[in-house]
Amino acid sequence: CVQESQKDEL
Amino acid sequence: MNIFRLAGDMTHLASVLVLLLKIHTIKSCAGVSLKTQELYVIVFATRYLDIFTSFVSIYNSLMKLIFLGSSFSIVWYMRYHKAVHRTYDREQDTFRHWFLMLPCILLALLIHEKFTFFEVMWTFSLYLEAVAILPQLVLLQRTRNIDNLTGQYIFLLGGYRGFYILNWIYRYFTEPHYVHWITWISGLVQTLLYADFFYYYFLSWKNNKKLQLPA
């Protein structure tokens, strides 16, 4: 999912 | 998780540990900008608002807690610990928080992926992190005598940013739909701010001399 993939970074 | 991301997180963690080591064991915060540290508290507090609502991994949650906890404790030490506070270069560390925060708030309200509270706050934290190092770099320019730990702290912090860029390049080529312009551009701006410092850091390392920035 485009929106979520960056939220797994710190 | 790829090796670049892990290396980035580990250098970030190492930078915080170096700073805590300096403050906790040497009881000195000479050359460390309280303004930058307070901006980092705001960066982590606004970025990790989702810490209790979205779960990615134990690793992620643990690192979030470490970055929140360490940034709060560094600010606490610099403000309220008597011996540490005495070593703070208050007269030199004059950068105004609002000068950096206001443009970031406006930019986050204008440029974001979704207009929701969490998303705007998250975007604001990205923009603010990009420029949060500026008071620290200005303080270095002014004091000019940089001790080893402060130099290593900024070097590791810059290294963390460098590894994150490699991580984004790697993910772009290995994951479908991995395109995040806001993260990338603010991350790139942040890394470029370190370029000047890196140049003088390597110069002093190559010549085996104490790090000194030009006036």
Side-chain angles (χ1 to χ4, degrees):
Chain A
C1 164
V2 179
Q3 194 58 42
E4 282 310 304
S5 67
Q6 58 187 339
K7 299 290 194 295
D8 63 20
E9 288 174 358
L10 291 165
Chain B
M1 167 126 64
N2 60 65
I3 188 72
F4 303 114
R5 156 82 196 278
L6 185 66
D9 286 348
M10 289 305 115
T11 36
H12 192 186
L13 190 64
S15 75
V16 172
L17 290 178
V18 164
L19 190 54
L20 277 171
L21 178 83
K22 179 180 155 94
I23 288 175
H24 192 83
T25 57
I26 306 170
K27 298 277 183 288
S28 163
C29 66
V32 179
S33 166
L34 179 60
K35 310 282 177 168
T36 284
Q37 296 306 320
E38 286 175 341
L39 289 174
Y40 279 136
V41 166
I42 297 165
V43 165
F44 293 132
T46 49
R47 183 169 313 164
Y48 301 154
L49 281 173
D50 64 347
I51 189 163
F52 297 115
T53 54
S54 82
F55 179 79
V56 176
S57 64
I58 304 249
Y59 171 85
N60 258 43
S61 301
L62 198 68
M63 292 295 267
K64 286 179 180 178
L65 285 175
I66 290 173
F67 290 136
L68 277 169
S70 57
S71 58
F72 269 106
S73 65
I74 288 165
V75 167
W76 183 88
Y77 263 106
M78 291 184 73
R79 275 175 167 261
Y80 304 114
H81 189 285
K82 275 209 176 77
V84 175
H85 185 73
R86 218 174 299 141
T87 61
Y88 170 49
D89 305 307
R90 192 208 307 249
E91 280 78 36
Q92 311 270 17
D93 190 26
T94 53
F95 216 101
R96 297 264 174 270
H97 297 86
W98 285 108
F99 184 72
L100 293 174
M101 282 174 62
L102 213 57
C104 292
I105 293 171
L106 292 176
L107 202 62
L109 285 170
L110 287 172
I111 305 172
H112 45 253
E113 284 193 14
K114 253 194 311 188
F115 192 63
T116 63
F117 176 71
F118 281 90
E119 195 62 30
V120 171
M121 292 298 266
W122 187 83
T123 313
F124 164 71
S125 83
L126 285 181
Y127 296 148
L128 189 62
E129 190 189 356
V131 292
I133 195 66
L134 283 175
Q136 177 65 71
L137 294 176
V138 168
L139 180 63
L140 279 192
Q141 286 279 352
R142 286 185 181 167
T143 51
R144 290 189 66 227
N145 59 332
I146 302 147
D147 62 85
N148 285 338
L149 285 178
T150 310
Q152 276 152 16
Y153 165 67
I154 298 163
F155 175 74
L156 288 166
L157 214 52
Y160 142 63
R161 296 316 309 178
F163 279 123
Y164 254 73
I165 288 183
L166 295 177
N167 157 59
W168 295 330
I169 294 170
Y170 179 86
R171 290 187 75 172
Y172 175 77
F173 286 110
T174 53
E175 288 174 36
H177 315 298
Y178 186 77
V179 180
H180 300 295
W181 286 109
I182 293 175
T183 315
W184 293 347
I185 291 171
S186 46
L188 194 65
V189 168
Q190 186 177 1
T191 314
L192 288 175
L193 292 181
Y194 287 91
D196 194 54
F197 172 83
F198 265 108
Y199 174 74
Y200 289 106
Y201 191 88
F202 279 117
L203 220 59
S204 74
W205 177 73
K206 207 177 86 191
N207 302 331
N208 213 359
K209 269 204 224 132
K210 202 170 145 49
L211 176 61
Q212 260 204 338
L213 300 180

